[in-house]
């Protein structure tokens, strides 16, 4: 660790590290910050004198942990709010996971089975009672942290259960097709393997919104002391060798619980600083990327006074920039006639792989939705709602090297006589009437509509 630390400090990364400010931070400890994909909601854990129940932990002599929520207004974070009961209980409640749309959270409670994970949803502006996750995730061992997969079809979590590589390991479990909102069912968990896990402890798992980068803390790998924050990138069916995200973000102390926005350009974590506002504050990290090489030659000093043209063409060596260009798609889903907002299910399918890459619900009160997607691909957007015709669209996102935002509002038509729907994800072979395989998910949605409403009579027309 000492040798690694010296090497890491000799090659610091280019970042700005800024205290989030005294509106969010207090004289009490703040830690475990998590932001949603578009960086509009910040949740964190704190031990404040306004804790739910008002009690002090007799072991640590600090107030019990509660989860606090701050929302971004313009470029500043608002004063944090404590949702109170039933979201926070009288004992310890710590945030460990937040869905990309900020409608679901994962909560750690350390007073059961040595530490378990709970799930909670917001409905009509009110947080519901947290539910204990099933036995595939929670065991008699210690489950310390978890996060949602970007498509909301599974969970990454940390456990020290038997059969791992040692200490606490990172696992993944997929949501089963038998799952319902009233009862979540998960598949058998899969250990992420020796590329990620070590004989030492791993902790604080976080998946970036594009599903391509996994952040976690580890006492193994190439650490400069205690836990360091690492990132590993998805590669085919596996993961790349974890990279230490570098100094000065990582230090010789324990550096745990790191989250990033959808672009990966900004991250949030907690740290201790003598110039901070309390025992432990929240900080924002802005990644500047690798330094651009300088080109300079003494004979160019008086170039402005020379009449002789410069004939030299000099190309600097390429600088590798790991930048997974994302496009943020956001908008509202509304009734076609009344324009009233709808809280409905939206699914996004990769037209090349036929894989569903995102499944989420729009906001019930505002109809708003948001998703971050890799550029240079074709997607099928499908929106389904009770009493409405399903909506579908083929959405092509051209390649881009910079982060962009697209606004797209969606209007749904009710199921009634005369209603029309255009199937925009039906694809034919060139100059033929042969359907391409990409058309299957769209046709399956139509079959489901007919099964859901067996009295429905439709006319299908089309051409190729």
């Amino acid at each position: 660790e000492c040798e690694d630390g010296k090497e890491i400090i000799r090659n610091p990364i280019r970042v700005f590290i800024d205290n989030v400010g005294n509106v969010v931070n207090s004289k009490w400890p703040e830690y475990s910050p998590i932001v949603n994909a578009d960086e509009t909601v910040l949740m964190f854990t704190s031990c404040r004198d306004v804790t739910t129940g008002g009690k002090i932990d007799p072991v640590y002599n600090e107030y019990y942990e509660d989860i606090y929520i701050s929302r971004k207004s313009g470029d500043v974070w608002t004063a944090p709010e404590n949702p109170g009961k039933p979201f926070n209980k009288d004992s310890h409640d710590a945030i460990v996971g937040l869905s990309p749309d900020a409608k679901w959270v994962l909560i750690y409670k350390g007073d059961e089975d040595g530490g378990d994970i709970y799930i909670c949803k917001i409905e009509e502006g009110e947080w519901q009672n947290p539910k204990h996750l099933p036995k595939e995730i929670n065991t008699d061992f210690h489950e310390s942290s978890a996060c949602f997969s970007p498509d909301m079809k599974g969970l990454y979590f940390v456990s020290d259960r038997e059969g791992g590589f040692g200490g606490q390991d990172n696992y993944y479990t997929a949501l089963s097709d038998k799952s319902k909102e009233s009862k979540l069912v998960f598949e058998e968990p899969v250990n992420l393997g020796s590329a990620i896990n070590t004989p030492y402890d791993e902790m604080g798992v976080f998946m970036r919104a594009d599903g391509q980068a996994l952040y976690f803390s580890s006492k193994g790998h190439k650490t400069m002391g205690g836990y360091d924050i690492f990132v590993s990138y998805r590669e085919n069916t596996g993961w790349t060798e974890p990279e230490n995200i570098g100094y000065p973000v990582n230090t010789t102390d324990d550096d745990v619980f790191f989250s990033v926005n959808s672009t990966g350009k900004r991250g949030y974590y907690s740290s201790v600083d003598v110039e901070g506002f309390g025992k432990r504050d929240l900080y924002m990290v802005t990644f500047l990327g690798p330094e651009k090489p300088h080109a300079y030659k003494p004979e160019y000093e008086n170039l402005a006074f020379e009449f002789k043209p410069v004939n030299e063409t000099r190309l600097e060596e390429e600088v590798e920039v790991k930048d997974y260009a994302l496009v943020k798609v956001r908008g509202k889903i509304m009734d076609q006639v009344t324009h009233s907002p709808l809280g409905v299910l939206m699914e996004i399918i990769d037209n090349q792989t036929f894989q569903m890459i995102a499944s989420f619900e729009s906001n019930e009160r505002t109809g708003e939705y948001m998703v971050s997607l890799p550029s240079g691909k074709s997607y099928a957007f499908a929106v389904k709602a009770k009493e409405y015709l399903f909506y579908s669209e083929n959405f092509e996102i051209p390649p881009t090297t910079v982060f962009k935002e697209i606004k797209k509002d969606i209007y749904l038509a009710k199921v009634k006589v005369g209603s029309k729907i255009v199937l925009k994800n039906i694809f034919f072979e060139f100059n033929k009437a042969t359907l391409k395989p990409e058309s299957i998910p769209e046709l399956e949605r139509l079959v489901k509509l007919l099964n859901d409403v067996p009295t429905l009579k439709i006319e299908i027309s089309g051409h190729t």
Side-chain angles (χ1 to χ4, degrees), residues 144-206:
S144 58
S145 58
C147 73
F148 295 101
S149 62
D151 59 5
M152 295 297 290
K153 291 295 182 182
L155 292 179
Y156 294 89
F157 67 96
V158 175
S159 175
D160 63 354
R161 64 189 62 192
E162 294 175 338
F165 288 89
Q168 299 188 96
D169 279 3
N170 288 293
Y171 290 82
Y172 174 77
T173 177
L175 200 62
S176 170
D177 294 336
K178 302 175 184 177
S179 188
K180 298 178 181 178
E181 192 167 311
S182 58
K183 184 181 179 181
L184 297 176
V185 180
F186 289 90
E187 304 288 353
E188 191 65 27
V190 177
N191 189 297
L192 293 190
S194 59
I196 298 291
N197 296 312
T198 69
Y200 303 94
D201 285 332
E202 275 67 48
M203 184 80 160
V205 63
F206 180 87

Side-chain angles (χ1 to χ4, degrees), residues 394-461:
N394 180 37
F395 201 67
E396 192 92 29
I397 299 181
T400 179
T401 56
V402 295
F403 184 75
K404 292 184 178 180
E405 182 172 314
I406 297 173
K407 188 174 186 297
K408 184 170 186 57
D409 293 334
I410 295 172
Y411 299 90
L412 300 186
K414 285 206 167 180
V415 177
K416 62 180 181 179
V417 176
S419 296
K420 294 180 181 178
I421 180 173
V422 180
L423 304 182
K424 297 184 178 179
N425 288 301
I426 300 296
F427 305 99
F428 293 95
E429 296 287 354
F430 178 70
N431 226 16
K432 296 179 183 178
T434 307
L435 280 170
K436 284 187 171 184
E438 293 95 314
S439 307
I440 292 173
E442 186 85 328
L443 295 175
E444 287 178 343
R445 283 189 284 272
L446 179 59
V447 170
K448 187 177 187 308
L449 174 65
L450 295 174
N451 287 331
D452 290 345
V453 190
T455 58
L456 187 66
K457 296 183 187 298
I458 66 170
E459 174 191 294
I460 299 178
S461 62

Side-chain angles (χ1 to χ4, degrees), residues 302-457:
N302 300 318
L303 190 61
F305 304 100
E306 297 283 346
F307 297 100
K308 185 171 63 176
V310 178
N311 296 318
E312 181 184 21
T313 300
R314 181 183 174 195
L315 296 178
E316 291 290 343
E317 292 182 6
E318 290 184 359
V319 178
E320 182 185 5
V321 180
K322 286 188 175 174
D323 190 356
Y324 297 85
L326 293 175
V327 171
K328 183 193 298 179
V329 183
R330 65 186 310 162
K332 295 182 179 181
I333 302 177
M334 296 171 281
D335 185 286
Q336 191 177 68
V337 177
T338 64
H339 286 200
S340 55
L342 299 173
V344 299
L345 178 67
M346 186 173 190
E347 295 177 345
I348 300 176
I349 295 99
D350 187 320
N351 281 332
Q352 291 177 315
T353 63
F354 311 143
Q355 296 292 316
M356 183 187 297
I357 61 172
S359 177
F360 53 88
E361 293 179 1
S362 55
N363 188 288
E364 294 175 344
R365 291 186 298 167
T366 65
E368 292 178 341
Y369 74 93
M370 187 282 302
V371 63
S372 295
L373 299 170
S375 62
K377 290 190 174 186
S378 173
Y379 300 97
F381 278 34
V383 182
K384 297 180 286 188
K386 191 176 181 180
E387 299 180 353
Y388 285 87
L389 293 170
F390 72 84
Y391 169 95
S392 71
E393 181 161 355
N394 180 37
F395 201 67
E396 192 92 29
I397 299 181
T400 179
T401 56
V402 295
F403 184 75
K404 292 184 178 180
E405 182 172 314
I406 297 173
K407 188 174 186 297
K408 184 170 186 57
D409 293 334
I410 295 172
Y411 299 90
L412 300 186
K414 285 206 167 180
V415 177
K416 62 180 181 179
V417 176
S419 296
K420 294 180 181 178
I421 180 173
V422 180
L423 304 182
K424 297 184 178 179
N425 288 301
I426 300 296
F427 305 99
F428 293 95
E429 296 287 354
F430 178 70
N431 226 16
K432 296 179 183 178
T434 307
L435 280 170
K436 284 187 171 184
E438 293 95 314
S439 307
I440 292 173
E442 186 85 328
L443 295 175
E444 287 178 343
R445 283 189 284 272
L446 179 59
V447 170
K448 187 177 187 308
L449 174 65
L450 295 174
N451 287 331
D452 290 345
V453 190
T455 58
L456 187 66
K457 296 183 187 298

Side-chain angles (χ1 to χ4, degrees), residues 28 56-64 279:
W28 311 103
I56 293 178
D57 186 314
V59 176
Y60 298 102
N61 198 32
E62 287 188 335
Y63 287 99
Y64 281 102
K279 294 181 179 179

